[in-house]
Amino acid sequence: MTSSSRAQVGIVGAGPAGLLLSHLLALRGIDSIVVENRSRAYCEARQRAGLLEAGTVELLRAVGLGGRMDAEGLEHGGIYLQFAGERHHLDFRDLTGGRWVTIYAQTEIVKDLIEARLAAGARVEFEVSDTGVTDLDADQPVLGFTDAAGTRHEVTCDAIAGCDGFHGICRDFLPPGLIRVAERGYPYSWLGILATVPPSTDELIYSRHEDGFALHTMRTPQVSRLYLQVPADEDLARWPDDRIWDELRRRLSVPGWELKDGPITEKAISPMRSFVASPMRYRRLFLAGDAAHIVPPTGAKGLNLAIADVTLLAAALTSLLREASPELADAYSDSCLRRVWRATHFSWWMTSMLHTDPHPDPFGTELQLSQLRYVVGSRAAATTLAENYTGYFPLRW
Ligand code: RFL
Ligand code: PHB
């Protein structure tokens, strides 16, 4: 038996992109259904981003999602860049005329969004399977899925948003001849840990070390998050806790500073990739967030881009569905891609400047060090980093 229903917008994926899109559409009186193949608990626990641009924070506040973020988020006005055994501070507020970033974990944004959607009575279906999109060449595409209880559903929609991440299914529904992929792989991965220990630093430390990159970030005043560059095909089993702390200590140390360690509560290896698929739309199917593009995490841009995409998409769908005006929907892909390519360049640049090549050559090493010295030595170069890091053209809502 198949159950048929209707929703103005069908949304695949209950990550930050899908959930925020559903929230924004509801604020404009547009109903949506969100389907997600994982459980609610899994979505709320999946460790990922932590750093929000000021524009992302301001958008979340403007749409009523700032409560816990304002109470628990940690505002940072700069970062430390470390190389050749020295640590340098970049003061973003001074360099950019007052701009800042906030540490507030993606897990917490997802929890806030799920709570807000469910409290508003939205349809959010977890643990679905066999998600698919049909009738894309008609004005009413159909979103199909099987719910957790095994019932098949077909939801007739006015538009469908593929917010299903890099490994999702929606991108493959765009006609193969239409989509153009530009990508770059990197010969390393990140091993990330979460540890129950107060951060050993007030602001993030990005460290280039001859044994590889390391990043010290945080989640709360009691919980630290740290990352190590490891080989691309690394096996997590080769990294017992003691080895991780030893390596972090080696790569992050400077005289007079000590890294505090503590119990590791989570450990995972993530590959690094740059990937941009365009256009981000075919007729009434729109892609947003990681479904269309991913960046290596060194620039802290992925979640911020996902939020920027759906802010534009919500406005575009509102004009399309409420006023039958297609201009914003027609401009959607190009508008997103301008920001995406800026972030793609910045993330590639930060990654290439800070990671060590598995087969280093003196030419490449000296170029990296020269670039790092330039960033900390020239106000113009430091401002370029600060401007990109703190975020681009404001999000309008
Ligand atoms: P998500 O979060 O991957 O959500 C997609 C959702 O779709 C579901 N899904 C399906 N549902 C139904 N049917 C299907 N067939 C489906 N296939 C998939 C998935 O289960 C999932 O729930 O994508 P979204 O919403 O576009 O959000 C993107 C962000 O998650 C990502 O860009 C960031 O986490 C990237 N990122 C960072 N971004 C930042 O802006 N700042 C950071 O500090 C930052 N740090 C990071 C990061 C990513 C990292 N990793 C693990 C890749 C640090 C790391 C280590
Ligand atoms: C994080 O807090 O997880 C984080 C922060 C900055 C990055 C990447 C990850 O560049």
Side-chain angles (χ1 to χ4, degrees):
M1 242 269 301
T2 298
S3 155
S4 300
S5 60
R6 235 201 80 71
Q8 283 173 292
V9 180
I11 300 175
V12 185
L19 290 164
L20 180 62
L21 178 63
S22 174
H23 179 87
L24 297 177
L25 290 172
L27 293 179
R28 295 285 186 258
I30 293 177
D31 79 275
S32 62
I33 175 172
V34 180
V35 300
E36 163 62 51
N37 58 4
R38 301 288 195 156
S39 67
R40 176 179 179 180
Y42 182 92
C43 292
E44 291 185 343
R46 184 169 38 202
Q47 291 301 325
R48 287 204 173 166
L51 192 119
L52 309 180
E53 296 173 0
T56 300
V57 170
E58 279 157 356
L59 184 274
L60 292 174
R61 273 182 196 146
V63 300
L65 293 164
R68 214 157 59 87
M69 177 181 69
D70 282 335
E72 297 172 21
L74 307 170
E75 202 171 292
H76 286 189
I79 57 166
Y80 296 98
L81 262 191
Q82 187 170 318
F83 59 97
E86 286 180 13
R87 186 173 295 169
H88 305 260
H89 187 242
L90 294 187
D91 183 338
F92 293 159
R93 289 187 216 276
D94 172 47
L95 290 164
T96 64
R99 284 154 73 174
W100 41 270
V101 291
T102 290
I103 286 283
Y104 186 62
Q106 181 166 330
T107 46
E108 305 315 298
I109 295 183
V110 167
K111 282 181 206 161
D112 295 345
L113 277 164
I114 291 176
E115 194 181 300
R117 292 317 298 129
L118 295 180
R123 237 179 121 184
V124 185
E125 297 266 358
F126 291 98
E127 297 180 75
V128 308
S129 52
D130 299 322
T131 317
V133 178
T134 52
D135 295 3
L136 255 186
D137 285 311
D139 275 347
Q140 298 218 304
V142 174
L143 172 62
F145 67 95
T146 302
D147 71 19
T151 304
R152 186 75 195 155
H153 293 260
E154 286 195 347
V155 188
T156 303
C157 304
D158 296 324
I160 292 179
C163 302
D164 49 347
F166 183 64
H167 299 288
I169 46 110
C170 288
R171 197 170 59 242
D172 290 341
F173 284 98
L174 273 78
L178 178 73
I179 205 148
R180 190 176 67 97
V181 167
E183 62 185 319
R184 186 62 49 100
Y186 301 87
Y188 27 74
S189 296
W190 274 17
L191 190 169
I193 62 161
L194 208 55
T196 314
V197 56
S200 306
T201 178
D202 56 340
E203 291 181 339
L204 274 57
I205 307 169
Y206 287 80
S207 176
R208 183 203 179 278
H209 186 277
E210 57 197 19
D211 295 338
F213 171 73
L215 170 62
H216 188 335
T217 171
M218 61 198 72
R219 288 293 173 262
T220 67
Q222 294 78 36
V223 175
S224 298
R225 175 100 168 128
L226 297 112
Y227 298 99
L228 279 173
Q229 175 187 344
V230 294
D233 49 2
E234 187 62 316
D235 178 2
L236 195 54
R238 287 176 22 87
W239 288 88
D241 295 4
D242 286 350
R243 180 176 178 206
I244 293 176
W245 286 117
D246 285 349
E247 201 58 35
L248 284 167
R249 214 166 271 119
R250 184 183 357 267
R251 297 189 196 178
L252 288 166
S253 81
V254 283
W257 179 86
E258 220 177 295
L259 177 66
K260 293 183 280 242
D261 60 26
I264 296 180
T265 55
E266 129 103 39
K267 230 195 267 198
I269 293 185
S270 329
M272 313 270 277
R273 192 186 276 115
S274 297
F275 175 98
V276 182
S278 57
M280 291 168 58
R281 172 204 184 186
Y282 174 68
R283 293 183 57 95
R284 286 178 174 241
L285 173 62
F286 298 81
L287 301 178
D290 278 15
H293 43 76
I294 52 172
V295 286
T298 328
K301 289 293 172 217
L303 170 62
N304 292 291
L305 287 177
I307 286 179
D309 285 356
V310 296
T311 305
L312 288 175
L313 184 53
L317 290 174
T318 304
S319 322
L320 185 68
L321 304 185
R322 288 189 32 181
E323 287 125 43
S325 115
E327 288 78 15
L328 292 180
D330 290 346
Y332 169 71
S333 179
D334 287 347
S335 308
C336 291
L337 287 168
R338 263 195 296 281
R339 182 185 294 264
V340 166
W341 274 110
R342 180 84 300 283
T344 299
H345 177 267
F346 176 64
S347 304
W348 164 85
W349 177 69
M350 287 285 280
T351 302
S352 342
M353 178 169 72
L354 286 162
H355 290 71
T356 46
D357 200 285
H359 307 290
D361 70 294
F363 184 80
T365 302
E366 291 302 333
L367 286 186
Q368 283 183 320
L369 291 171
S370 168
Q371 184 64 25
L372 283 161
R373 280 193 293 270
Y374 182 48
V375 168
V376 300
S378 150
R379 188 171 173 92
T383 304
T384 291
L385 189 152
E387 218 166 62
N388 279 275
Y389 195 96
T390 53
Y392 309 115
F393 11 104
L395 300 174
R396 285 208 185 78
W397 180 251

